[in-house]
């Protein structure tokens, strides 16, 4: 009986590990699907729906700077300049470092002339 209970415990642990692994793999593939869908929405100019999808991604991965950057892009395209800057500041605070993308991304054209945008660029460079 003891041997069987040890086998049962080991089997349950293995099943638990497999379930956790499956969850990680499925969430990664969902993120990949979501990002493909996000790219399609942006390509179609549907930034309202893109914004909804980005909010779902942020809920799933709140510390992922890329999601906040994408939110900034959607907000800027929709004309919500202050919200775009809020999202951009959060993205940089979370670790977004692609200064070249920030300076050249057409999605951010509507906010690039704002002093707060320049402050974000300086913050990325580590300048006061």
């Amino acid at each position: 009986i003891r041997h069987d209970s040890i086998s049962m415990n080991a089997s349950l642990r293995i099943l638990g590990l497999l379930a956790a692994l499956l969850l990680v793999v499925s969430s990664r593939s969902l993120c990949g699907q979501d990002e493909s869908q996000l790219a399609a929405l942006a390509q179609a100019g549907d930034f309202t729906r893109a914004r909804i999808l980005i909010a779902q991604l942020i809920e799933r991965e709140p510390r992922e700077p890329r999601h906040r950057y994408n939110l900034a892009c959607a907000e800027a395209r929709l004309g919500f300049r202050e919200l775009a800057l809020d999202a951009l500041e959060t993205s940089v605070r979370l670790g977004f470092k692609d200064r070249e993308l920030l300076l050249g991304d057409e999605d951010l054209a509507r906010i690039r002339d704002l002093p707060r945008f320049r402050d974000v660029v300086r913050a990325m460079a580590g300048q006061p």
Side-chain angles (χ1 to χ4, degrees), residues 26-44 46-47 49-71 96 107:
S26 67
S27 70
R28 283 189 182 156
S29 67
L30 281 177
C31 286
Q33 289 173 358
D34 289 340
E35 289 182 14
S36 296
Q37 184 181 4
L38 181 58
L41 289 170
Q43 182 81 21
D46 191 349
F47 295 101
R49 285 185 49 208
R51 194 173 172 214
I52 293 166
L53 179 57
I54 294 165
Q56 293 169 351
L57 290 169
I58 289 171
E59 188 175 316
R60 195 177 312 143
E61 296 177 295
R63 302 215 40 87
E64 174 55 57
R66 185 177 71 244
H67 300 326
R68 303 297 175 133
Y69 179 84
N70 288 332
L71 179 60
F96 184 81
D107 290 335

Side-chain angles (χ1 to χ4, degrees), residues 9-104:
N9 286 339
S11 295
L12 288 174
R13 272 188 245 140
I14 290 170
L15 283 175
L17 289 172
L18 288 174
L21 181 60
L22 181 60
L23 182 62
V24 168
V25 169
S26 67
S27 70
R28 283 189 182 156
S29 67
L30 281 177
C31 286
Q33 289 173 358
D34 289 340
E35 289 182 14
S36 296
Q37 184 181 4
L38 181 58
L41 289 170
Q43 182 81 21
D46 191 349
F47 295 101
T48 300
R49 285 185 49 208
R51 194 173 172 214
I52 293 166
L53 179 57
I54 294 165
Q56 293 169 351
L57 290 169
I58 289 171
E59 188 175 316
R60 195 177 312 143
E61 296 177 295
R63 302 215 40 87
E64 174 55 57
R66 185 177 71 244
H67 300 326
R68 303 297 175 133
Y69 179 84
N70 288 332
L71 179 60
C73 291
E75 298 287 18
R77 286 285 187 167
L78 290 168
F80 300 118
R81 294 162 36 127
E82 292 302 315
L83 292 175
L85 288 163
D86 290 345
L88 200 55
E89 287 171 345
T90 301
S91 177
V92 170
R93 192 172 59 252
L94 290 173
F96 184 81
K97 293 181 174 136
D98 193 340
R99 189 169 187 241
E100 189 174 315
L101 177 62
L102 183 75
L103 293 172

